[in-house]
């Protein structure tokens, strides 16, 4: 009888210490475990950050900066990812492209019993200071700090000049907030920093609690995962799953070459809009390849024979 009681006590204790994710809860109740991140990013088989996020290479990130938002979105849509774009942003620097690996944070309206416990547990786990600084302390170079604070504007200012300075010193990058910020004049002085957010407000952050770091978050119409690549330009932001970045970059770079060639030939009067803005004939394709050989060999993202193989698989 005693053995059965001990067995039930141990089982009950295990259930109490198991999270909704199916993992044993560690000391840190806010930060997603590596196992959680691996679960959601299972299609990525490359290098990972220390926290478990996919680490898309710096070389690929540099190439992402050069592609058009429309080309990235179009190919994502073709691959079955139609919900990867979000617009309607206030930007610190409208003409400054921002690209990086996202570190996500989830904020919710404050509830005293929960926020007090999460704050206490977070400090015991090693976090320092107020909750809104915890994600910042985890940033790595190249990261974009992305936070969902449920669109709160007044008393929803996640950062100001001081925290913005800390963010840039760690990441050399910027922020994306489904919420607000303050101190735009101070933030404008940080060379290289950019911010995409819903609005600006002079208030301080109040009545908000941090409930997750490196967890899935909703940004408008997009579900964003930790480690996604954000391509933020004047018109909005496309979020690219890391396992698709290389394929999308290659496609967009080839599309840009074809656009350059097609627009040049239309200006020259060689082809009409009807001939270019449809599937090309074999004659136009051969003209394009000859133009590439003569003018753009050094700019090709892949050898020309590989590009030809790629073009044969496309329907445009």
């Amino acid at each position: 009888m005693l053995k059965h009681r001990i067995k039930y006590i141990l089982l009950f204790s295990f259930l109490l210490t198991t999270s909704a994710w199916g993992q044993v809860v560690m000391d840190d109740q806010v930060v997603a475990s590596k196992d959680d991140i691996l679960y959601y990013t299972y299609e990525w088989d490359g290098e990972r950050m220390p926290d478990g996020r996919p680490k898309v290479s710096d070389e690929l990130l540099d190439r992402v900066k050069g592609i058009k938002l429309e080309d990235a979105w179009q190919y994502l849509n073709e691959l079955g990812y139609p919900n990867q774009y979000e617009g309607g942003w206030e930007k610190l620097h409208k003409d400054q492209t921002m690209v990086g690996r996202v570190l996500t944070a989830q904020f919710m309206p404050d509830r005293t019993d929960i926020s007090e416990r999460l704050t206490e547990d977070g400090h015991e786990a090693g976090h320092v200071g107020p909750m809104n600084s915890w994600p910042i302390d985890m940033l790595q170079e190249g990261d974009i700090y992305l936070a969902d604070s449920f669109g709160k504007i007044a008393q929803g200012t996640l950062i100001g000049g001081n925290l913005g300075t800390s963010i840039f010193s760690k990441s050399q990058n910027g922020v994306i907030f489904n919420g607000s910020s303050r101190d735009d004049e101070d933030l404008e002085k940080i060379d290289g920093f950019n911010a995409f957010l819903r609005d600006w407000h002079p208030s301080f952050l109040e009545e908000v609690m941090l409930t997750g770091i490196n967890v899935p978050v909703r940004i408008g119409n997009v579900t964003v995962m930790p480690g996604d690549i954000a391509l933020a330009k004047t018109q909005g932001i496309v979020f690219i799953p890391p396992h698709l970045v290389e394929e999308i970059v290659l496609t967009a770079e080839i599309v840009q070459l074809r656009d350059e060639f097609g627009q040049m030939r239309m200006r020259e009067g060689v082809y009409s809009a009807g001939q270019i803005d449809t599937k090309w004939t074999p004659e136009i394709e051969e003209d394009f390849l000859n133009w590439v050989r003569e003018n753009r060999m050094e700019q090709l993202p892949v050898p020309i024979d590989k590009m030809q193989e790629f073009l044969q698989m496309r329907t445009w």
Side-chain angles (χ1 to χ4, degrees):
M1 188 69 176
L2 179 59
K3 289 182 179 180
H4 286 299
R5 287 182 179 176
I6 293 173
K7 179 180 178 180
Y8 290 138
I9 290 170
L10 290 174
L11 177 60
F12 185 66
S13 298
F14 175 78
L15 292 173
L16 285 177
T17 58
T18 302
S19 73
W21 301 88
Q23 303 291 334
V24 175
V25 174
M26 307 304 288
D27 290 337
D28 198 328
Q29 304 293 322
V30 172
V31 180
S33 70
K34 288 185 179 180
D35 285 344
D36 294 338
I37 297 173
L38 287 168
Y39 177 83
Y40 281 108
T41 59
Y42 67 95
E43 293 204 66
W44 173 259
D45 58 5
E47 186 180 355
R48 290 185 177 267
M49 307 288 284
D51 57 16
R53 285 177 296 144
K55 186 178 182 180
V56 175
S57 70
D58 292 337
E59 184 269 334
L60 263 181
L61 292 182
D62 285 340
R63 289 170 63 187
V64 171
K65 290 179 182 178
I67 69 177
K68 292 169 61 178
L69 204 70
E70 292 83 358
D71 293 338
W73 179 87
Q74 179 61 39
Y75 198 42
L76 283 166
N77 189 58
E78 291 178 15
L79 291 172
Y81 293 78
N83 304 310
Q84 300 302 122
Y85 172 79
E86 181 67 10
W89 301 98
E90 290 290 326
K91 301 128 188 158
L92 185 65
H93 298 292
K94 294 183 179 180
D95 298 325
Q96 181 176 309
T97 297
M98 183 169 67
V99 170
R101 315 171 191 94
V102 302
L103 181 143
T104 64
Q106 178 73 64
F107 290 86
M108 293 186 180
D110 187 52
R111 173 173 158 157
T112 301
D113 57 337
I114 302 301
S115 61
E116 287 181 354
R117 186 166 190 185
L118 287 175
T119 299
E120 181 180 347
D121 289 347
H123 289 158
E124 289 179 0
H127 296 293
V128 177
M131 282 179 146
N132 63 315
S133 69
W134 298 357
I136 297 171
D137 293 335
M138 294 178 59
L139 290 169
Q140 303 290 314
E141 186 170 346
D143 284 348
I144 289 176
Y145 173 29
L146 177 144
D148 175 24
S149 55
F150 54 96
K152 186 174 183 179
I153 306 302
Q155 288 78 48
T157 49
L158 291 175
I159 65 166
N162 292 337
L163 292 184
T165 299
S166 179
I167 288 168
F168 190 74
S169 69
K170 291 177 177 294
S171 69
Q172 298 296 297
N173 219 330
V175 301
I176 299 169
F177 292 159
N178 184 34
S180 64
S181 182
R182 52 177 283 130
D183 297 341
D184 59 316
E185 293 182 42
D186 290 342
L187 295 173
E188 281 182 340
K189 297 174 184 177
I190 305 174
D191 186 29
F193 179 85
N194 205 356
F196 284 64
L197 35 88
R198 295 307 188 189
D199 211 342
W200 300 92
H201 202 276
S203 60
F204 292 101
L205 184 67
E206 295 182 68
E207 301 301 323
V208 169
M209 65 179 180
L210 175 68
T211 56
I213 299 175
N214 276 340
V215 296
V217 297
R218 175 190 169 191
I219 301 295
N221 294 311
V222 186
T223 297
V224 183
M225 307 303 298
D228 278 356
I229 302 305
L231 169 60
K233 292 200 167 190
T234 301
Q235 62 269 56
I237 306 172
V238 166
F239 297 94
I240 308 173
H243 64 281
L244 298 177
V245 171
E246 186 170 12
E247 186 176 357
I248 285 170
V249 167
L250 173 60
T251 302
E253 289 171 340
I254 293 174
V255 167
Q256 286 178 193
L257 277 176
R258 291 169 71 84
D259 285 347
E260 181 184 357
F261 166 81
Q263 291 166 17
M264 178 191 70
R265 286 290 190 256
M266 285 190 289
R267 287 194 299 270
E268 294 170 346
V270 177
Y271 304 122
S272 68
Q275 289 175 295
I276 291 297
D277 200 26
T278 187
K279 184 174 175 60
W280 290 356
T281 64
E283 291 75 22
I284 297 177
E285 290 286 2
E286 184 61 29
D287 188 16
F288 168 66
L289 290 172
N290 288 333
W291 174 79
V292 169
R293 292 186 186 100
E294 294 173 4
N295 300 280
R296 292 292 183 270
M297 287 297 290
E298 293 183 0
Q299 299 175 21
L300 284 183
V302 292
I304 195 165
D305 58 330
K306 294 291 185 183
M307 186 179 76
Q308 286 178 282
E309 291 177 13
F310 177 84
L311 291 174
Q312 289 174 359
M313 295 186 295
R314 301 297 297 166
T315 58
W316 34 254

